[in-house]
Amino acid sequence: MNKKFSKILDNKWWQEIAVISFSFTLYTLKNDWMLFSSVASILMGVFFYLILYMHAQFNRFFILPILFRKQRPLTYIFLTLLGVLLFSVVLYEITTLDMFSKCRLYQNSHQRSYAYQLASVLGTLVCILSPIIVFKFYRIHKKQTDETLLFNQMQLNALKGQLNPHFLFNTFNTLYGISLEFPDRTPDLIMKVSQLMRYQLDSSNKQCVSLEEELSFINSYIQLEKERVGYRCDITYDCKIDNENAYKVSPMLLIAFIENAFKHGTCAIENCFVRIFITVENGLLHLHVINSIPTKKTNVISTKIGLKNTIERLNLIYGKEYKLDIQDDNNTYIVDLKLQLKKFV
């Protein structure tokens, strides 16, 4: 929605003007104002409209709260009908005054009847209150939506705040393991780790990044793991994307599943494997991660923060637009994620 139009729509004064314009237009059409030939007749018409408008505002501020705040519908209906009867009597008595005898408004006999005035009061009440109630619920819904978005954003920021140190801790553990086995390769690996950290810092304040950036980050991380355990672990990484630049994704959303596979799938000296497949077709991202579960595995310190936070982020950001299936059969651990990506505008 256009921001300027949205700003006007949210303004109570503009809403009030819209209600008056709508009801006044219907009132003029009902009374054939195009036949009015004098300024006096038009002023008389405005005078009658103001009486009808005052009745609607009286109902709005004094009777309608009984329905919305006190939730007493029967009392509201009774008082509304009473107000309609009283104001229609007032309007009928005004039309019988001599000062309105030459007014072209209400010239026909049926227009001067009490039934006609009753219908006018009731019809105008509906025409004025209906858009007012619609705007009221619009404001309530918008407020609730804004509060929900704000709360979700606070939750996302909290999750990111937990995830970033968690990833940093695991990455340094990886670097430490490599430095023990291959100290001569440590300087180059430190440079790769610094690149990972730079992406992590740059993306932490962003709602989304391009899919190309996220996949580049994932590829760098997998290359780092290959340096650490590639000599004893069969690592497969296959990525097929129809258009990397066309899609956006929440930063560091997929890495937890991949990191978890390396962390728990390579915690033994025996042969092991980690297989990662990523495909995107028509905006549907499919992440398929399989890792072996060693029969004799060393103790791995795990807080499960990364996986838990990632699932919470998926729920907050994508709602029902994703499907996650995790299987553990004691020999292999399988993660299957299908996620509908959004396009860059």
Side-chain angles (χ1 to χ4, degrees):
M1 184 183 292
N2 185 277
K3 290 184 178 180
K4 188 175 181 181
F5 177 75
S6 180
K7 187 176 181 180
I8 293 175
L9 189 61
D10 293 338
N11 188 287
K12 289 185 178 181
W13 289 106
W14 282 112
Q15 291 176 2
E16 201 68 35
I17 292 172
V19 171
I20 294 174
S21 301
F22 172 72
S23 58
F24 189 72
T25 300
L26 293 181
Y27 176 74
T28 56
L29 292 175
K30 178 180 73 73
N31 291 286
D32 295 331
W33 278 41
M34 68 286 294
L35 301 177
F36 291 175
S37 58
S38 66
V39 176
S41 296
I42 295 176
L43 292 176
M44 290 298 178
V46 173
F47 174 74
F48 276 102
Y49 171 77
L50 289 177
I51 295 176
L52 296 171
Y53 181 75
M54 287 173 57
H55 166 249
Q57 294 302 314
F58 176 82
N59 187 291
R60 172 186 180 182
F61 290 107
F62 295 100
I63 304 179
L64 200 58
I66 296 175
L67 177 63
F68 287 125
R69 295 177 185 175
K70 299 182 179 180
Q71 296 183 353
R72 296 164 60 183
L74 295 178
T75 303
Y76 170 74
I77 293 173
F78 173 76
L79 293 178
T80 297
L81 293 176
L82 182 62
V84 169
L85 293 173
L86 291 176
F87 269 87
S88 60
V89 169
V90 172
L91 206 61
Y92 173 75
E93 293 297 331
I94 291 176
T95 59
T96 61
L97 297 177
D98 293 337
M99 60 184 297
F100 295 105
S101 60
K102 295 182 180 180
C103 176
R104 298 198 59 170
L105 193 66
Y106 303 145
Q107 285 295 304
N108 296 328
S109 58
H110 76 277
Q111 290 181 320
R112 290 183 176 273
S113 66
Y114 174 75
Y116 183 85
Q117 305 308 326
L118 180 65
S120 296
V121 173
L122 186 59
T124 308
L125 177 65
V126 173
C127 290
I128 294 177
L129 283 189
S130 295
I132 286 175
I133 293 174
V134 169
F135 280 127
K136 179 180 178 68
F137 280 107
Y138 166 78
R139 290 193 297 268
I140 293 173
H141 175 73
K142 188 175 186 302
K143 182 180 179 181
Q144 292 175 342
T145 302
D146 291 343
E147 289 176 350
T148 301
L149 290 174
L150 181 61
F151 179 72
N152 287 349
Q153 188 58 50
M154 290 172 62
Q155 285 185 300
L156 286 174
N157 290 337
L159 292 174
K160 284 183 180 180
Q162 294 176 4
L163 184 62
N164 290 346
H166 172 267
F167 177 75
L168 182 65
F169 172 78
N170 287 342
T171 303
F172 276 121
N173 271 350
T174 298
L175 185 60
Y176 173 74
I178 295 174
S179 66
L180 293 178
E181 295 287 338
F182 311 101
D184 57 320
R185 288 153 61 182
T186 303
D188 291 337
L189 295 178
I190 290 176
M191 183 60 66
K192 287 185 178 181
V193 171
S194 69
Q195 292 173 352
L196 293 176
M197 295 300 103
R198 179 175 294 278
Y199 174 80
Q200 181 192 22
L201 291 174
D202 291 342
S203 64
S204 61
N205 294 325
K206 296 179 180 179
Q207 297 290 335
C208 58
V209 295
S210 69
L211 181 61
E212 182 181 20
E213 292 177 293
E214 186 71 5
L215 292 179
S216 177
F217 169 74
I218 289 173
N219 182 66
S220 297
Y221 178 79
I222 293 174
Q223 294 305 317
L224 184 65
E225 289 291 351
K226 282 184 177 180
E227 293 285 349
R228 182 174 71 93
V229 296
Y231 69 97
R232 61 179 178 82
C233 180
D234 180 18
I235 300 174
T236 302
Y237 175 53
D238 184 62
C239 183
K240 296 179 181 179
I241 314 297
D242 55 4
N243 192 344
E244 293 180 356
N245 295 316
Y247 308 109
K248 58 184 178 181
V249 66
S250 182
M252 299 192 65
L253 186 67
L254 308 177
I255 190 64
F257 299 112
I258 297 170
E259 183 187 16
N260 190 68
F262 281 107
K263 184 176 181 179
H264 296 281
T266 62
C267 59
I269 300 176
E270 63 190 78
N271 291 332
C272 53
F273 65 86
V274 174
R275 296 166 187 163
I276 304 164
F277 304 94
I278 301 177
T279 60
V280 176
E281 187 175 355
N282 296 323
L284 181 64
L285 183 145
H286 185 192
L287 172 67
H288 192 67
V289 182
I290 311 172
N291 65 268
S292 57
I293 300 178
T295 54
K296 296 180 180 180
K297 57 183 179 180
T298 57
N299 292 328
V300 178
I301 299 175
S302 177
T303 60
K304 297 183 179 180
I305 289 177
L307 197 59
K308 179 182 176 182
N309 284 2
T310 299
I311 294 174
E312 289 186 23
R313 289 178 67 198
L314 283 168
N315 289 328
L316 287 171
I317 300 171
Y318 295 98
K320 297 181 180 180
E321 294 183 347
Y322 85 94
K323 183 179 180 181
L324 177 63
D325 183 29
I326 298 178
Q327 299 178 24
D328 184 355
D329 62 2
N330 296 323
N331 294 317
T332 56
Y333 189 85
I334 303 173
V335 173
D336 196 79
L337 172 66
K338 292 182 180 179
L339 174 67
Q340 187 63 47
L341 298 175
K342 296 180 180 179
K343 290 187 176 182
F344 272 116
V345 180

